[in-house]
Amino acid sequence: MRGGHKRAINDLGTPLGGWPFGPLIRGLGGALPWWAMTQLSDENLHWQAKAREVAEDVVRPLAAKYDVAQEYPWEIKDAIAEAGLFGVWIPEAYGGSGKHEWNIRNLVAVVEQLSRACGGVGVLFAVNALGSLPLIVGGTEEQ
């Protein structure tokens, strides 16, 4: 401990600022206090509300249909895309909708709302981040 500050830790007991998010947290000015990691910004709330609207208006009414049919929910995917939800975790500089360098809370807010209506759709959305997050976290401009 330096300066009397405790280091923030996640639910697994791993210090925030440690792998894999160390460079991002340090880039934001060092280890953030625990409460800063739980507050949603206006941007986060905007995407959360948009995702809730899609979840209630499109996902929930169609979820059972796709569960029974065992088919990919193209109609739901299209509604998510039309709402502009794909890429909310990607900074605008790289073609996403995120206003800041690190937008994981946007991703989490959207996944949470979509999952409330249908867990499978939440996963459908979340897996889109699997390929891009490693590039955002550790990629270089050349990549």
Side-chain angles (χ1 to χ4, degrees), residues 36-99:
M37 300 301 282
T38 62
Q39 303 298 311
L40 293 179
S41 68
D42 289 341
E43 179 188 9
N44 303 145
L45 294 172
H46 164 78
W47 292 117
Q48 182 183 51
K50 183 144 319 241
R52 183 179 303 119
E53 181 180 319
V54 171
E56 294 303 322
D57 294 349
V58 179
V59 177
R60 191 175 304 280
L62 294 174
K65 168 187 166 183
Y66 286 106
D67 281 347
V68 171
Q70 299 280 309
E71 296 175 356
Y72 187 83
W74 292 105
E75 188 175 358
I76 292 173
K77 192 271 309 169
D78 291 343
I80 292 170
E82 285 177 27
L85 297 175
F86 286 117
V88 298
W89 64 92
I90 299 173
E92 286 180 331
Y94 298 108
S97 306
K99 302 287 183 204

Side-chain angles (χ1 to χ4, degrees), residues 91-140:
E92 286 180 331
Y94 298 108
S97 306
K99 302 287 183 204
H100 305 289
E101 179 180 335
W102 183 237
N103 299 286
I104 193 70
R105 282 183 257 173
N106 289 347
L107 173 65
V108 171
V110 172
V111 170
E112 176 188 44
Q113 294 305 312
L114 295 175
S115 295
R116 289 178 68 210
C118 176
V121 171
V123 171
L124 172 151
F125 183 83
V127 298
N128 285 279
L130 291 178
S132 56
L133 281 177
L135 292 173
I136 294 169
V137 171
T140 65

